[in-house]
mmCIF file of all heavy atoms in Angstrom:
data_model
loop_
_atom_site.group_PDB
_atom_site.id
_atom_site.type_symbol
_atom_site.label_atom_id
_atom_site.label_comp_id
_atom_site.label_asym_id
_atom_site.label_seq_id
_atom_site.Cartn_x
_atom_site.Cartn_y
_atom_site.Cartn_z
ATOM 1 N N ALA A 60 -13.394 17.447 -28.576
ATOM 2 C CA ALA A 60 -13.007 16.891 -27.298
ATOM 3 C C ALA A 60 -12.186 17.891 -26.447
ATOM 4 O O ALA A 60 -12.462 18.133 -25.164
ATOM 5 C CB ALA A 60 -12.226 15.713 -27.513
ATOM 6 N N LEU A 61 -11.216 18.647 -26.980
ATOM 7 C CA LEU A 61 -10.489 19.571 -26.223
ATOM 8 C C LEU A 61 -11.440 20.860 -25.729
ATOM 9 O O LEU A 61 -11.213 21.222 -24.804
ATOM 10 C CB LEU A 61 -9.362 20.113 -27.075
ATOM 11 C CG LEU A 61 -8.177 19.064 -27.281
ATOM 12 C CD1 LEU A 61 -7.233 19.443 -28.462
ATOM 13 C CD2 LEU A 61 -7.411 18.689 -26.086
ATOM 14 N N SER A 62 -12.347 21.052 -26.560
ATOM 15 C CA SER A 62 -13.230 22.137 -26.222
ATOM 16 C C SER A 62 -14.076 21.763 -25.050
ATOM 17 O O SER A 62 -14.277 22.563 -24.083
ATOM 18 C CB SER A 62 -14.215 22.471 -27.351
ATOM 19 O OG SER A 62 -15.251 23.418 -26.916
ATOM 20 N N VAL A 63 -14.544 20.488 -24.959
ATOM 21 C CA VAL A 63 -15.303 19.969 -23.884
ATOM 22 C C VAL A 63 -14.477 19.912 -22.617
ATOM 23 O O VAL A 63 -14.924 20.183 -21.571
ATOM 24 C CB VAL A 63 -16.099 18.665 -24.202
ATOM 25 C CG1 VAL A 63 -16.524 17.961 -23.063
ATOM 26 C CG2 VAL A 63 -17.155 18.910 -25.192
ATOM 27 N N LEU A 64 -13.170 19.405 -22.711
ATOM 28 C CA LEU A 64 -12.296 19.285 -21.750
ATOM 29 C C LEU A 64 -12.035 20.658 -21.083
ATOM 30 O O LEU A 64 -11.960 20.819 -19.851
ATOM 31 C CB LEU A 64 -10.940 18.772 -22.097
ATOM 32 C CG LEU A 64 -10.999 17.202 -22.315
ATOM 33 C CD1 LEU A 64 -9.723 16.731 -22.990
ATOM 34 C CD2 LEU A 64 -11.090 16.533 -20.952
ATOM 35 N N GLU A 65 -11.834 21.739 -21.922
ATOM 36 C CA GLU A 65 -11.634 23.067 -21.411
ATOM 37 C C GLU A 65 -12.826 23.574 -20.678
ATOM 38 O O GLU A 65 -12.699 24.179 -19.482
ATOM 39 C CB GLU A 65 -11.223 23.912 -22.565
ATOM 40 C CG GLU A 65 -10.937 25.413 -22.077
ATOM 41 C CD GLU A 65 -9.718 25.442 -21.245
ATOM 42 O OE1 GLU A 65 -8.850 24.641 -21.385
ATOM 43 O OE2 GLU A 65 -9.732 26.360 -20.367
ATOM 44 N N LYS A 66 -13.987 23.494 -21.096
ATOM 45 C CA LYS A 66 -15.234 23.820 -20.472
ATOM 46 C C LYS A 66 -15.568 23.114 -19.194
ATOM 47 O O LYS A 66 -16.225 23.693 -18.281
ATOM 48 C CB LYS A 66 -16.462 23.722 -21.374
ATOM 49 C CG LYS A 66 -16.402 24.639 -22.612
ATOM 50 C CD LYS A 66 -17.554 24.301 -23.651
ATOM 51 C CE LYS A 66 -17.422 25.064 -24.816
ATOM 52 N NZ LYS A 66 -18.559 24.668 -25.806
ATOM 53 N N SER A 67 -15.122 21.859 -19.074
ATOM 54 C CA SER A 67 -15.403 21.098 -17.869
ATOM 55 C C SER A 67 -14.244 21.008 -16.910
ATOM 56 O O SER A 67 -14.378 20.188 -15.946
ATOM 57 C CB SER A 67 -15.853 19.697 -18.404
ATOM 58 O OG SER A 67 -14.875 18.917 -18.839
ATOM 59 N N ARG A 68 -13.175 21.684 -17.305
ATOM 60 C CA ARG A 68 -11.953 21.486 -16.438
ATOM 61 C C ARG A 68 -12.265 21.734 -14.988
ATOM 62 O O ARG A 68 -11.856 21.061 -13.996
ATOM 63 C CB ARG A 68 -10.814 22.421 -16.880
ATOM 64 C CG ARG A 68 -9.563 22.244 -16.080
ATOM 65 C CD ARG A 68 -8.463 23.134 -16.609
ATOM 66 N NE ARG A 68 -8.413 23.257 -17.884
ATOM 67 C CZ ARG A 68 -7.730 22.268 -18.842
ATOM 68 N NH1 ARG A 68 -7.285 21.263 -18.365
ATOM 69 N NH2 ARG A 68 -7.643 22.693 -20.051
ATOM 70 N N ASN A 69 -12.905 22.865 -14.546
ATOM 71 C CA ASN A 69 -13.083 23.148 -13.192
ATOM 72 C C ASN A 69 -14.005 22.133 -12.495
ATOM 73 O O ASN A 69 -13.748 21.664 -11.406
ATOM 74 C CB ASN A 69 -13.791 24.533 -13.005
ATOM 75 C CG ASN A 69 -12.774 25.676 -13.291
ATOM 76 O OD1 ASN A 69 -11.636 25.486 -13.184
ATOM 77 N ND2 ASN A 69 -13.248 26.830 -13.801
ATOM 78 N N ALA A 70 -15.146 21.666 -13.121
ATOM 79 C CA ALA A 70 -15.839 20.659 -12.517
ATOM 80 C C ALA A 70 -15.170 19.395 -12.404
ATOM 81 O O ALA A 70 -15.402 18.734 -11.355
ATOM 82 C CB ALA A 70 -17.251 20.508 -13.366
#
Side-chain angles (χ1 to χ4, degrees):
L61 289 168
S62 172
V63 166
L64 282 168
E65 183 62 34
K66 291 175 187 174
S67 66
R68 181 180 320 280
N69 288 336

